[in-house]
Amino acid sequence: MAETAVATKTVKLVITRQDAPDSAPYTEEFEVPYRANMNVISALMEIQRNPKKVDGQKTAPVCWESNCLEEVCGACSMVINGKPRQACSSLIDQLEQPVRLAPMKTFPVVRDLVINRERMFNALKRVKAWIPIDGTYDLGPGPRMAETKRQWAYELSKCMTCGVCLESCPNVNDRNSFIGPAAISQVRLFNAHPTGEMNKEERLEALMEDGGIEGCGNSQNCVRSCPKGIPLTTSIAAINKDTTKHLFKKWLGM
Amino acid sequence: MKGNSYLSRKIHSLLGVIPLGLFIIEHMITNYSAYEEGAQGFKDSVKFLNDLPLVFFLELFGIWLPLLFHGVYGLYVAYQSNLNTGRFQYGRNWFFTLQRISGVITFIFIFWHLYQTRLQVMLGNVTHEELGNQMHSITTNGFYFVFYVIGIIAATFHFSNGMWAFLVSWGITIGPRAQRISSYIFMGVFVIVALLFLLSLTAFRGDEFKEAASAALQMTNLV
Ligand code: SF4
Ligand code: FES
């Protein structure tokens, strides 16, 4: 408004809320005071401080999850203006308003924007995404990893189990048992490690069971969505090659 | 390994190429003889196929059973996807969606096409020699002509894009560059295969295929 001497800038938000895991979702609109360099988390903190809807009515503060605030923990993933991404690295200045926030519905919603990513951690357990080095005696040093290999493997190790790739995948849903892209890429990471490689068949076999790698239908949304730029489709194709080889080896009894 | 979707999906993928992909190429060549050599050429091609040794088993294991498995399991695969091109408008995601849509169209098309041709031969309403005439009556019917054009485009797209996906799923094209080049190649394949099928489809409309339209036609041409 032209006549107002100091126009207070605000941020408009439309948030999809849900009170309990199985209650119906609804939306509420908020308007919070603008500050320079705000991100979605600080906008949510503003609502927490003063939980009033745009019409002035009081409401329960909006729930969300966050930890690192620097896009390395993956806890704050949500759907922001239609795309799944991290709330902490989504700057208000770069978002179209009203900013629409919704939970990543591929996962069970706990409350409001909080989701349960347990299926991803279960997937990592299922494919044994670790390097077994425990023993009853000192096993001594393992083989060295070539520096060139370490460099590309490092890219894969950036995965923060944020769930964005599962949210964008058309084949991760309740009619489909697909494990999702992230765990497949982790199999590639741990199979590339000189010590991890010693158990590579176990990881491949975990992906050759019901709901394994075959669920990938090549929509390639994951690689376009991953905030860490992980080459997920390359990982999937590489593991396709390894599982195919393993399949034939097993058939031929080698 | 009870109910292993990994194996079913792998078999589905393999059958799409061997034998179904090979068959679609063979079918294209046979049909093309109608365009290039006319009614007699088509008759000769059909005869050549029927003279193949063990033609019954070739058809059973090379076409019927693979088609049934690939088709029915394919419908299940399509059912398992949440198409999300509205939210993620990326090229490959469109292809993913189109692959499923074209699969369903192809399923309906092949079902009807088999009913109008192969099944009529089986029932004794049409002989192998009369298949050209049968196609003439189908393609000169406006509704069926359009239906066949759509069916052909869907089937050839499904085949070409399916070949692209096959190479990824079996770990042959791995990096983004390999996958990009392979997608150019198979889109080229799509254009060529679709074109050859469409040319033969228009060839069937020619008068030389007319002759006596068989009685079966009145039955199958519902529209
Ligand atoms: S691969 Fe990328 S998108 Fe998927 S969970 Fe890991 S960091 Fe998130
Ligand atoms: S809070 Fe850790 S990624 Fe956003």
Side-chain angles (χ1 to χ4, degrees):
Chain A
M1 274 175 253
E3 60 267 31
T4 324
V6 192
T8 34
K9 250 174 110 183
T10 56
V11 181
K12 285 198 175 67
L13 300 121
V14 179
I15 305 182
T16 304
R17 309 196 55 178
Q18 187 169 325
D19 297 336
D22 37 41
S23 67
Y26 57 97
T27 59
E28 279 184 355
E29 291 180 34
F30 297 90
E31 197 164 354
V32 298
Y34 173 87
R35 274 179 288 120
N37 303 324
M38 269 181 120
N39 62 11
V40 168
I41 301 277
S42 56
L44 286 168
M45 283 171 157
E46 224 29 85
I47 296 175
Q48 197 176 41
R49 218 167 277 145
N50 181 20
K52 268 195 195 134
K53 290 188 281 179
V54 73
D55 59 11
Q57 269 189 340
K58 263 201 158 305
T59 184
V62 178
C63 293
W64 80 92
E65 264 190 327
S66 60
N67 292 306
C68 68
L69 301 181
E70 54 175 355
E71 204 187 77
V72 290
C73 77
C76 66
S77 310
M78 57 184 72
V79 179
I80 300 171
N81 285 349
K83 289 272 189 320
R85 55 186 296 189
Q86 277 66 51
C88 64
S89 54
S90 301
L91 302 179
I92 294 292
D93 288 338
Q94 289 164 9
L95 293 173
E96 196 185 303
Q97 286 198 33
V99 180
R100 289 172 196 279
L101 306 181
M104 295 201 305
K105 277 275 174 55
T106 300
F107 301 90
V109 177
V110 179
R111 181 169 179 175
D112 293 341
L113 302 168
V114 180
I115 51 160
N116 181 351
R117 284 176 298 137
E118 200 176 352
R119 64 165 288 165
M120 295 193 73
F121 306 116
N122 287 340
L124 292 177
K125 289 184 209 159
R126 183 177 144 190
V127 301
K128 303 197 168 140
W130 57 78
I131 293 173
I133 49 164
D134 289 340
T136 48
Y137 59 96
D138 183 1
L139 297 172
R144 285 198 60 127
M145 189 170 198
E147 175 58 16
T148 43
K149 200 178 188 185
R150 188 200 62 76
Q151 274 175 10
W152 68 253
Y154 179 67
E155 294 304 317
L156 305 185
S157 75
K158 287 181 181 170
C159 175
M160 52 185 178
T161 331
C162 70
V164 163
C165 52
L166 275 78
E167 172 73 13
S168 69
C169 177
N171 274 0
V172 176
N173 59 57
D174 41 17
R175 271 168 284 125
N176 200 316
S177 54
F178 182 39
I179 190 165
I184 300 174
S185 190
Q186 291 305 297
V187 168
R188 181 164 174 239
L189 171 67
F190 288 97
N191 281 3
H193 190 279
T195 307
E197 194 185 25
M198 297 170 186
N199 300 71
K200 70 167 192 266
E201 279 83 12
E202 284 178 25
R203 299 192 194 93
L204 293 179
E205 277 174 20
L207 289 177
M208 295 164 74
E209 283 163 7
D210 199 57
I213 195 172
E214 83 288 353
C216 172
N218 288 303
S219 82
Q220 306 208 337
N221 287 348
C222 55
V223 73
R224 307 284 301 256
S225 307
C226 174
K228 293 284 144 185
I230 295 174
L232 290 162
T233 47
T234 308
S235 286
I236 294 173
I239 296 298
N240 270 327
K241 178 179 162 194
D242 293 348
T243 45
T244 304
K245 268 202 214 153
H246 189 63
L247 181 73
F248 285 117
K249 267 193 195 163
K250 263 200 348 198
W251 267 351
L252 300 172
M254 282 160 67
Chain B
M1 278 203 255
K2 173 165 72 74
N4 186 336
S5 64
Y6 177 79
L7 282 185
S8 336
R9 192 70 174 80
K10 276 283 179 249
I11 293 171
H12 173 262
S13 169
L14 185 65
L15 289 180
V17 179
I18 308 166
L20 296 178
L22 293 176
F23 173 68
I24 205 169
I25 296 296
E26 181 282 310
H27 197 340
M28 173 191 84
I29 295 169
T30 305
N31 281 15
Y32 195 62
S33 66
Y35 176 77
E36 226 177 23
E37 298 156 41
Q40 193 52 46
F42 182 66
K43 257 183 208 167
D44 294 345
S45 305
V46 173
K47 186 171 181 324
F48 164 76
L49 286 178
N50 280 301
D51 286 346
L52 287 178
L54 299 175
V55 70
F56 172 79
F57 293 97
L58 274 181
E59 248 191 308
L60 184 68
F61 294 109
I63 307 175
W64 289 110
L65 294 179
L67 200 58
L68 195 68
F69 183 87
H70 189 87
V72 173
Y73 195 77
L75 288 179
Y76 177 63
V77 170
Y79 161 77
Q80 283 186 307
S81 301
N82 270 350
L83 304 182
N84 60 7
T85 31
R87 275 172 81 197
F88 303 95
Q89 310 205 348
Y90 308 133
R92 280 260 62 100
N93 197 26
W94 278 107
F95 278 75
F96 173 92
T97 298
L98 285 177
Q99 184 68 0
R100 277 140 189 84
I101 295 174
S102 65
V104 175
I105 297 177
T106 306
F107 187 94
I108 300 167
F109 168 63
I110 292 182
F111 186 86
W112 197 253
H113 176 52
L114 284 176
Y115 170 71
Q116 284 183 317
T117 54
R118 187 64 186 85
L119 201 77
Q120 297 308 319
V121 173
M122 206 184 274
L123 295 174
N125 294 330
V126 177
T127 64
H128 282 294
E129 291 71 37
E130 287 167 354
L131 275 173
N133 316 340
Q134 178 81 348
M135 281 312 295
H136 176 78
S137 332
I138 293 172
T139 49
T140 45
N141 173 314
F143 171 82
Y144 280 119
F145 185 71
V146 174
F147 179 67
Y148 269 63
V149 169
I150 296 172
I152 285 170
I153 291 176
T156 50
F157 174 83
H158 192 80
F159 160 69
S160 315
N161 192 45
M163 284 299 304
W164 176 86
F166 173 86
L167 293 182
V168 179
S169 303
W170 291 77
I172 296 161
T173 46
I174 294 179
R177 197 178 129 84
Q179 294 183 0
R180 190 161 7 97
I181 293 173
S182 138
S183 79
Y184 297 150
I185 292 175
F186 284 108
M187 280 308 102
V189 167
F190 164 56
V191 171
I192 294 168
V193 177
L195 201 72
L196 292 193
F197 266 113
L198 290 175
L199 281 179
S200 18
L201 194 70
T202 47
F204 282 124
R205 285 163 72 108
D207 277 342
E208 55 171 327
F209 284 96
K210 206 165 182 177
E211 290 177 31
S214 67
L217 238 40
Q218 274 76 47
M219 270 178 54
T220 59
N221 272 1
L222 297 173
V223 184

